[in-house]
Amino acid sequence: MLTALLLIPLIGILRVLPMDEQKNLTLIKQVSLIRALINFLLSIILWGEFDSSALEYQFVQEFNTLNFCHFHIGLDGISLYFVLLTTFITPICLVANWDNLKFGYKYYFIAFLLMETLLIGVFVVLDLMLFYIFLEAVLIPMFLVVGIWGGSITRIRASFLLFLYTLAGSLFMLLAILVIYYNVGSTDFTLISLSNINFDSQKILWLGFFLSFAIKTPLVPFHMWLPRAHAEAPLAGSILLAGLFLKLATYGFLRVLINFMPDATNFFSPLVQTIAIVTLIYSSLATLRMADFKRLVAYSSISHMAIVVLGLFSNSIVGIEGALLLSIAHGFISPALFTLVGGVLYDAYHTRIIRYYRRMAVYMPVFALLFFLATIANMGIPLSLNWTGEFLALSGTFQRNPVIGVLAATGIVLSASYSIFLFNRISFGAYSQYLGKAKDVSRREFMILISLIIRAFVLGIFPNVILNDLHMAVTDLLYTV
């Protein structure tokens, strides 16, 4: 089934590629969406057959036909939910820009189907070199999406910042992988985890991997590419960046740093937590001053990912599981916010400046209601998955270092401040002379938004649905079971 997850989008690409866009536009859209939905249904079946009590990787497949590459794939409790999130977000990306592009529908849909395969590959490969290849290959179609279908003339600069920032940091990771291969003789996850890397070597290798993942998270001062990329990307690009791209670093921290280099991770944890606190406070204060609502949501993503990093490096099961819950919750709510402000509002009025919007609760009441639900979830209101994730992540952080835990808790207040500020400025206030008549949320947009928001609250009420599958894999990271 894992092989099918990787191949179904590629089959869709081969089906769409020969078609003429002028004559078969509707068919191109339908074929692409059907392939993405089949992948989502297949991942649900995978979830149903997953054994949460097993320690080893499941659904393992190994292909040794290539001499230069050991293609080894499998799934555990951690990667399962990232695969589910990928197959869930991809159809939403395809529907998000269903009929509002000016050109190039065929290659636009091909780019997103290709990114689905590459993202699933990142989460299921059990070989470090393949992990690096898939991780970097995702940048190419995203670079094209931002650069070709972006919102303004500055899209070219934004796409190059996205590509060069992340690629430059990954060169250090490639060097670290080559050193591991030279010393261990393999890049297979199982063999690396069984090998005994001495402490001094762990520290050097850890820094190489951390720099790459810090850029992809992103942490201050490597964050400048993200707001620019979000601001210029088309709606589907912003959804994919927020929903999935920012999860690559989360997965990398768990799969590589905490798993293979535990001593170095414990040694550098105070440094990482200090950087995460600076990132949290800086990005939250910067969010309060944003005039562009897509940049505002992008900076809020940085602050949420800082809390995820704090939980991951708390050296506790509670903190790591909370970080994973918050990461999944962010994958629902941040795309919903981008759909609301970068899709519904921008398509209606073609400006991203907050000061032009007032009293949208009167003009667009359904939009205001959905915006309110997404906003309170983003704040981490109780009964939302964001709240469950933040509470567990901060609890784990407080257990390790109470001072860091208290400083991290200020993010709750700051998050509420910029969330309420954005909602209040757009939904209420005096009549705006700049606004004309506009339609409320369309049926297509409503289905996208309700599918994202309702999952954040249902899983917030029943978080054990996720925690039961996570617990054994997370425990195995920290203890010998």
Side-chain angles (χ1 to χ4, degrees):
M1 282 193 289
L2 283 184
T3 306
L5 282 176
L6 292 167
L7 291 179
I8 287 172
L10 296 180
I11 294 171
I13 292 172
L14 294 175
R15 178 73 178 87
V16 167
L17 199 56
M19 293 183 185
D20 184 270
E21 185 177 325
Q22 301 297 326
K23 298 178 182 178
N24 302 301
L25 180 57
T26 303
L27 185 59
I28 288 171
K29 293 179 179 179
Q30 291 173 348
V31 169
S32 303
L33 183 58
I34 288 170
R35 291 299 189 278
L37 289 173
I38 290 172
N39 239 23
F40 177 59
L41 291 175
L42 188 60
S43 67
I44 294 294
I45 296 171
L46 203 72
W47 181 37
E49 295 190 3
F50 183 81
D51 182 6
S52 60
S53 63
L55 272 175
E56 67 277 357
Y57 290 103
Q58 300 175 48
F59 312 105
V60 174
Q61 288 178 284
E62 199 166 356
F63 303 91
N64 290 317
T65 53
L66 300 176
N67 293 327
F68 63 91
C69 188
H70 179 216
F71 196 78
H72 187 199
I73 57 176
L75 207 65
D76 67 351
I78 296 169
S79 52
L80 171 66
Y81 284 95
F82 288 113
V83 171
L84 282 167
L85 188 63
T86 302
T87 57
F88 173 69
I89 291 293
T90 303
I92 289 176
C93 290
L94 297 180
V95 175
N97 287 111
W98 191 254
D99 54 9
N100 56 4
L101 290 179
K102 296 179 181 178
F103 61 91
Y105 275 97
K106 182 172 80 170
Y107 295 104
Y108 187 79
F109 281 91
I110 286 174
F112 279 92
L113 288 175
L114 179 60
M115 280 191 280
E116 181 179 21
T117 290
L118 296 173
L119 286 165
I120 292 172
V122 171
F123 299 130
V124 301
V125 292
L126 303 179
D127 185 273
L128 200 54
M129 183 57 75
L130 278 177
F131 173 79
Y132 172 81
I133 291 170
F134 278 106
L135 192 68
E136 298 312 305
V138 178
L139 293 174
I140 299 171
M142 181 53 76
F143 167 76
L144 296 175
V145 166
V146 176
I148 297 173
W149 292 281
S152 69
I153 196 171
T154 57
R155 65 184 184 274
I156 305 298
R157 178 179 174 82
S159 63
F160 273 101
L161 276 175
L162 162 69
F163 186 78
L164 295 177
Y165 249 87
T166 52
L167 184 66
S170 296
L171 293 177
F172 296 97
M173 179 167 63
L174 178 60
L175 290 173
I177 292 171
L178 293 176
V179 170
I180 289 174
Y181 179 75
Y182 178 79
N183 288 283
V184 178
S186 173
T187 52
D188 185 77
F189 281 179
T190 305
L191 291 177
I192 296 173
S193 63
L194 293 174
S195 63
N196 185 19
I197 304 174
N198 67 66
F199 182 50
D200 292 331
S201 299
Q202 275 193 36
K203 288 193 286 186
I204 297 171
L205 295 171
W206 190 96
L207 290 171
F209 281 105
F210 177 75
L211 181 60
S212 175
F213 296 143
I215 292 172
K216 286 179 171 62
T217 303
L219 297 173
V220 171
F222 309 112
H223 67 289
M224 291 308 299
W225 64 271
L226 183 68
R228 290 176 180 269
H230 269 306
E232 300 305 330
L235 175 58
S238 293
I239 290 173
L240 199 70
L241 276 169
L244 296 172
F245 261 60
L246 300 189
K247 313 303 175 285
L248 298 176
T250 301
Y251 184 74
F253 285 135
L254 285 170
R255 187 61 75 212
V256 180
L257 295 186
I258 297 174
N259 193 15
F260 301 151
M261 291 164 264
D263 297 330
T265 299
N266 188 56
F267 178 79
F268 284 113
S269 285
L271 172 65
V272 177
Q273 291 183 326
T274 303
I275 295 173
I277 287 294
V278 172
T279 301
L280 172 63
I281 296 174
Y282 169 81
S283 59
S284 298
L285 294 175
T287 305
L288 286 167
R289 298 295 300 162
M290 286 294 116
D292 182 323
F293 49 48
K294 284 192 78 175
R295 284 177 177 264
L296 188 151
V297 178
Y299 269 99
S300 75
S301 296
I302 297 173
S303 65
H304 287 304
M305 295 313 295
I307 296 178
V308 169
V309 171
L310 286 171
L312 291 176
F313 286 88
S314 64
N315 198 34
S316 67
I317 293 175
V318 171
I320 293 174
E321 289 183 351
L324 286 168
L325 285 182
L326 181 56
S327 191
I328 294 166
H330 180 264
F332 293 137
I333 293 303
S334 193
L337 287 171
F338 275 112
T339 303
L340 286 160
V341 296
V344 179
L345 281 189
Y346 185 77
D347 287 347
Y349 297 105
H350 302 289
T351 179
R352 302 194 305 260
I353 305 302
I354 298 173
R355 70 181 66 177
Y356 288 127
Y357 294 95
R358 295 285 189 279
R359 215 175 183 185
M360 300 311 297
V362 175
Y363 300 141
M364 306 166 94
V366 177
F367 163 83
L369 176 61
L370 293 171
F371 192 23
F372 174 73
L373 292 174
T375 300
I376 60 174
N378 193 54
M379 289 164 50
I381 202 76
L383 301 183
S384 68
L385 189 59
N386 298 64
W387 179 81
T388 310
E390 279 191 16
F391 178 79
L392 292 177
L394 293 176
S395 297
T397 304
F398 190 84
Q399 289 175 17
R400 181 174 177 88
N401 190 326
V403 176
I404 293 292
V406 171
L407 289 173
T410 60
I412 299 172
V413 179
L414 294 171
S415 175
S417 300
Y418 62 69
S419 298
I420 293 171
F421 167 77
L422 178 64
F423 177 75
N424 184 59
R425 287 288 298 271
I426 289 178
S427 300
F428 303 111
Y431 171 79
S432 175
Q433 59 179 324
Y434 302 105
L435 297 180
K437 291 183 178 180
K439 293 182 180 179
D440 208 337
V441 177
S442 67
R443 183 181 299 176
R444 173 179 59 84
E445 292 164 339
F446 180 81
M447 295 306 296
I448 291 173
L449 291 165
I450 203 68
S451 63
L452 290 165
I453 293 170
I454 199 168
R455 279 169 174 78
F457 282 99
V458 169
L459 291 173
I461 297 169
F462 304 105
N464 280 341
V465 172
I466 300 175
L467 289 173
N468 288 339
D469 293 328
L470 285 178
H471 191 66
M472 190 60 72
V474 173
T475 304
D476 191 40
L477 283 175
L478 299 181
Y479 303 99
T480 302
V481 181

